[in-house]
Each structure stands twice: as C-alpha cells, then as structure tokens.
Amino acid sequence: VNMIMRYHHTQDDTYLRETLYPFLREVGDFWEDYLTWRENENRYVIEKDAIDESKAAIGTNPLLSLGFVRMVFKNLLEFSETLNIDADRRDKWKHILQHISDYPTQE
C-alpha cells in the first residue's frame, strides 16, 4: 500500500518502472495462484487467510485481504497501461476484479 501511495503522490515514473511495477506484478502473480475460482458461484474466493495470521482467526474472504486484492489488480491494470507492458495479462486481472468475492456484511 505504501509503495502504491508513494507513486500516486509523486508520479515518479522511474520508481514505477524500476521498483513498484516489478514488485506489484510479483504480488499479482501470488494472488493469481492463491485465489480459488468457484465456478458454480462465478467468483474468486480467498481461503485459509486471516487478518492477524492466527490459527483462531483463519477464515474465508477476510475483509482486509479482499481490499488488498482489489488494490493490487486495479493498480496493475493502470500501471501496465501507463508503462505499455503486460497487455496480455490485463484480461485476467480484469476478470479477477470483476469476480472477486463481495465484501462481507453483517447486521
């Protein structure tokens, strides 16, 4: 998050090209592999994850992780267009954003 915010505040294209984008692409690679596609529900799910990483809190679709996933793929799309690279990956990233599980709610 801090790295993304640094770029948005500075608009430092060298930082984006040489540091942020390569790192963010690796984070995206992780999430592409970690997310579970539930065909019958037409959505991606985050399983066995927890905000504080304690065994007692492990669950499905932690709120914080859902937010991070959205931030990662939204910015990957924007930055790949800015840098004019990885056009072949954008459809996958868009699919994840369009089909990531909704934020949980409660009453």
Side-chain angles (χ1 to χ4, degrees):
V1 173
N2 291 340
M3 293 172 74
I4 291 169
M5 291 298 108
R6 175 183 169 185
Y7 174 73
H8 284 299
H9 290 294
T10 65
Q11 298 295 298
D12 181 346
D13 290 332
T14 301
Y15 173 74
L16 173 62
R17 183 178 52 260
E18 295 177 4
T19 303
L20 175 55
Y21 188 79
F23 175 79
L24 201 60
R25 189 174 53 213
E26 293 293 325
V27 173
D29 288 345
F30 167 82
W31 282 106
E32 283 183 43
D33 292 339
Y34 193 81
L35 292 169
T36 301
W37 174 249
R38 291 191 181 168
E39 184 76 36
N40 60 327
E41 298 173 23
N42 197 36
R43 68 182 177 129
Y44 290 97
V45 175
I46 301 170
E47 297 177 329
K48 299 179 184 172
D49 190 15
I51 289 174
D52 65 2
E53 298 301 322
S54 70
K55 289 183 181 180
I58 291 177
T60 301
N61 290 327
L63 182 62
L64 190 61
S65 296
L66 287 169
F68 285 149
V69 166
R70 284 176 171 83
M71 177 180 247
V72 165
F73 289 105
K74 176 184 174 287
N75 283 278
L76 276 171
L77 283 166
E78 177 185 333
F79 298 157
S80 73
E81 290 175 7
T82 298
L83 296 171
N84 197 30
I85 56 177
D86 291 333
D88 58 321
R89 300 187 69 183
R90 291 183 201 148
D91 285 343
K92 174 71 173 185
W93 297 339
K94 288 176 187 174
H95 191 265
I96 289 171
L97 281 171
Q98 292 167 349
H99 295 90
I100 190 71
S101 292
D102 290 334
Y103 290 113
T105 58
Q106 68 183 44
E107 293 182 23

